[in-house]
Amino acid sequence: MRTPGRPTTQQDEARKQRWENSYSNKDSSDLSWYQPHLELSLKLIERTGSGKAARIIDVGAGSSTLVDDLLMAGYRRVTALDISLKAIEGSKARLGAKAKHVTWIEGDIERVELPPAHFDIWHDRAVFHFLTSDEGRKRYVNVAKTSLKSDGHLIIGTFAQEGPTRCSGMDVIRYSAHSITAEFGEGFELVESAGETHRTPYDAEQKFMYFRFIRRH
Ligand SMILES: C[S@@+](CC[C@H](N)C(=O)[O-])C[C@H]1O[C@@H](n2cnc3c(N)ncnc32)[C@H](O)[C@@H]1O
């Protein structure tokens, strides 16, 4: 499904095309961010203590196996959103008949409109750090703020301060607990953070930080 949102600009189209190209030019397991399973994300989702009926959205889900693992763990209200149709199609093909248990959204997180106070858990691994414009980050935070329920959880994995400055030919912003808290501002309480060293398929090390916030009104 494509969601209605703000009208797209040439810049938005270029952003979408860049990501479509990433998924067209390589197998999923050759992409620098590939992990067979998003172990730390799964652990942080479990640590929210939300039941299996929790509504979970994976923002910039790409072709990751998080949705497979969430279904396997018994979560039954999983949404996967990505700007790239190619990535979504790849995940659907991998899941086969199980794909119908996931709500799929082809959309740009800077543009989509999601239902208000709807999700219990928002998950993002390696998407927010690509948002280098103040305006784009403000829009992202606003969508998260609006679509998360009160006391819902926001789990976000970004490059750490010792992480790379660029990825896939694009600039990124690296975060600490202090700087990410400043981005999300009032309305989000940081409850835990954890570091991870990701080893890319090309054997390079990338330092990540994961943060879990609770949406407070
Ligand atoms: C580095 S990949 C991470 C994919 C996945 N989260 C993982 O951990 O394997 C970033 C993903 O975010 C998607 N993406 C980038 N910008 C986006 C945006 N503005 N809205 C939605 N998805 C976006 C890309 O298509 C890509 O799948």
Side-chain angles (χ1 to χ4, degrees):
M1 123 167 110
R2 277 196 93 154
T3 56
R6 292 178 180 79
T8 53
T9 62
Q10 265 187 349
Q11 213 181 6
D12 297 334
E13 289 300 335
R15 179 165 53 235
K16 177 174 172 56
Q17 204 46 57
R18 250 198 327 259
W19 286 105
E20 292 293 9
N21 292 345
S22 302
Y23 286 100
S24 304
N25 297 338
K26 282 185 181 169
D27 287 342
S28 287
S29 57
D30 289 332
L31 295 164
S32 64
W33 54 88
Y34 173 76
Q35 280 189 334
H37 298 278
L38 304 194
E39 309 276 4
L40 183 51
S41 296
L42 281 164
K43 186 169 141 194
L44 290 169
I45 288 170
E46 284 292 326
R47 282 171 64 82
T48 65
S50 310
K52 302 299 184 201
R55 286 204 179 104
I56 306 177
I57 182 164
D58 188 13
V59 172
S63 52
S64 103
T65 56
L66 183 67
V67 280
D68 314 36
D69 290 333
L70 289 173
L71 292 179
M72 185 74 91
Y75 291 98
R76 19 184 218 281
R77 291 173 168 170
V78 179
T79 297
L81 177 148
D82 204 280
I83 198 168
S84 162
L85 179 60
K86 197 116 197 131
I88 291 175
E89 282 174 344
S91 288
K92 281 185 174 174
R94 186 187 63 243
L95 275 160
K98 289 189 197 146
K100 66 173 183 293
H101 301 301
V102 176
T103 302
W104 302 96
I105 302 175
E106 179 199 353
D108 183 334
I109 199 59
E110 295 187 32
R111 297 279 158 191
V112 294
E113 280 174 22
L114 296 172
H118 185 74
F119 295 106
D120 299 286
I121 302 175
W122 174 290
H123 172 265
D124 160 351
R125 172 176 177 266
V127 186
F128 186 73
H129 63 205
F130 284 104
L131 273 53
T132 51
S133 84
D134 291 350
E135 204 196 326
R137 287 195 303 283
K138 275 194 192 124
R139 282 201 290 256
Y140 178 112
V141 171
N142 203 37
V143 180
K145 220 174 205 170
T146 313
S147 64
L148 262 177
K149 289 181 189 167
S150 182
D151 294 333
H153 299 255
L154 180 132
I155 296 166
I156 185 158
T158 68
F159 283 140
Q161 288 203 303
E162 317 75 49
T165 53
R166 285 174 69 78
C167 180
S168 301
M170 287 173 260
D171 288 334
V172 297
I173 298 181
R174 301 173 295 173
Y175 289 96
S176 63
H178 182 75
S179 62
I180 195 101
T181 302
E183 288 294 340
F184 281 87
E186 275 184 27
F188 289 94
E189 180 192 347
L190 181 64
V191 287
E192 65 176 323
S193 50
E196 179 180 71
T197 302
H198 167 61
R199 194 166 278 283
T200 73
Y202 311 102
D203 237 9
E205 283 192 350
Q206 297 180 331
K207 301 274 187 207
F208 272 77
M209 279 301 293
Y210 287 68
F211 307 97
R212 180 162 68 90
F213 291 88
I214 298 187
R215 171 85 178 98
R216 304 285 191 208
H217 282 282

